[in-house]
């Protein structure tokens, strides 16, 4: 398709307007700007204010209008993140002031992204909002590591789980119970408590040799993939200096990586 036809096809979509006094809760995807949706791009071109999180990359942010106000609302330099209530109140304040507000989050806003809490706060304040889903790291990031979340031969369900509780301090999932389902587990924020999580899963019946993939900075040029086992995951990750942001996949689906990775074209600059 020629560039002109491409531009016309986009124009024909007549994508929605971001109205003054409203908020879009937008998922930016896991990192690769190519995984941004057209709705996200269209919203970024219109927003007066972009309130963004730590996991949103500069290239994506660069799609905002040059004169748009960019407000950072994530964790920076080890400092505690702003209180969720403060962020929600800020969104409400900006909308009430008549701005076109775009709240930009990594991955999908409703998957471990507090987008649900922000939507509830906006609804309670009577502020109209639109949710623009994004590609979540647990699915898109794994795909870039050549690991399908499901295949008919391996699993008919999958568990998305977080390794942190709401406060971020403790780990509250019942790992033994999740293990007993026999389903693959895709873990967000799983690095801090990886040892305890692995122990809980083994207690629940998973073999210590269950394959595990750790994908850090998935879909970005810094992406790294470690294939290991449940028993060795924490030690291997530490040895290689792997840290957040990371997706940890646990289960038979991980074995597909070895078969697919040699042929999977994902990030052009990775060997
Ligand atoms: N809403 C986001 C998740 C936010 S929670 C989404 O849908 O993807 C933050 C966690 O997401 C990180 O600790 C990490 O576990 C995961 N994550 C987000 N982006 C990632 C990336 N590019 N690579 C690996 N993990 C990522």
């Amino acid at each position: 398709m020629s560039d002109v036809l491409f531009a016309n096809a986009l124009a024909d979509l007549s994508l929605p307007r971001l109205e003054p006094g409203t908020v879009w809760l937008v998922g930016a995807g896991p990192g690769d700007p190519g995984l941004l949706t057209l709705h996200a791009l269209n919203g970024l071109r219109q927003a007066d204010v972009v309130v963004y999180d730590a996991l949103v990359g500069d290239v994506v942010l660069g799609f905002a209008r040059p004169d748009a106000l960019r407000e950072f609302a994530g964790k920076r330099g080890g400092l505690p993140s702003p209180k969720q209530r403060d962020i929600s109140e800020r969104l409400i304040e900006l909308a009430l002031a008549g701005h076109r507000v775009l709240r930009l989050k990594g991955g999908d806003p409703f998957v471990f992204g507090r987008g649900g809490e922000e939507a509830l706060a906006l609804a309670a304040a009577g502020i109209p909002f639109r949710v623009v889903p994004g590609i979540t790291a647990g699915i898109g990031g794994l795909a870039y590591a050549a690991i399908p979340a499901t295949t008919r031969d391996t699993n008919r369900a999958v568990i998305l789980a977080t390794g942190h509780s709401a406060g971020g301090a403790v780990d509250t999932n019942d790992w033994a119970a999740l293990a007993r389902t026999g389903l693959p587990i895709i873990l967000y924020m799983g690095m801090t408590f990886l040892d305890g999580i692995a122990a809980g899963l083994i207690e629940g019946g998973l073999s210590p040799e269950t394959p595990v993939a750790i994908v850090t900075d998935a879909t970005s040029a810094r992406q790294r993939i470690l294939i290991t086992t449940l028993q060795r995951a924490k030690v291997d990750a530490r040895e290689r200096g792997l840290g957040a942001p990371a997706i940890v996949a646990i289960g038979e689906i991980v074995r597909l990586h070895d078969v697919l990775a040699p042929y999977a074209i994902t990030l052009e600059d990775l060997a």
Side-chain angles (χ1 to χ4, degrees), residues 27 29-32 53 55 105-115 134-142 161-164 187-191 214-220 222-224 243-248:
D32 181 350
D53 276 348
L55 285 173
K105 292 166 169 292
D108 181 276
F110 277 2
V111 180
F112 303 129
R114 304 189 191 176
I135 294 181
T136 190
I139 304 294
L142 268 204
T162 172
H164 277 196
L187 202 56
Y188 294 67
M189 297 172 273
M191 294 300 265
I214 299 178
V215 191
T216 61
D217 291 307
T219 83
S220 86
R222 296 179 309 280
Q223 174 176 298
R224 290 173 71 193
I247 287 296
V248 182

Side-chain angles (χ1 to χ4, degrees), residues 53-54 72-83 87 114 167:
D53 276 348
F72 180 70
K75 247 183 212 169
R76 187 169 268 164
L79 297 170
S81 46
K83 295 260 179 304
I87 299 172
R114 304 189 191 176

Side-chain angles (χ1 to χ4, degrees), residues 1 4-14:
M1 197 189 285
V4 173
L5 286 177
F6 187 59
N8 287 344
L10 278 185
D12 284 349
L13 288 176
S14 51

Side-chain angles (χ1 to χ4, degrees), residues 144-155:
Y144 271 45
I147 300 173
T150 72
T151 72
R152 284 192 296 177
D153 287 338
T154 49
N155 59 308

Side-chain angles (χ1 to χ4, degrees), residues 33-51:
L35 297 179
L36 212 57
T37 64
L38 293 177
H39 278 308
L41 193 57
N42 173 53
L44 280 164
R45 304 301 299 166
Q46 300 179 67
D48 302 312
V49 188
V50 179
V51 182

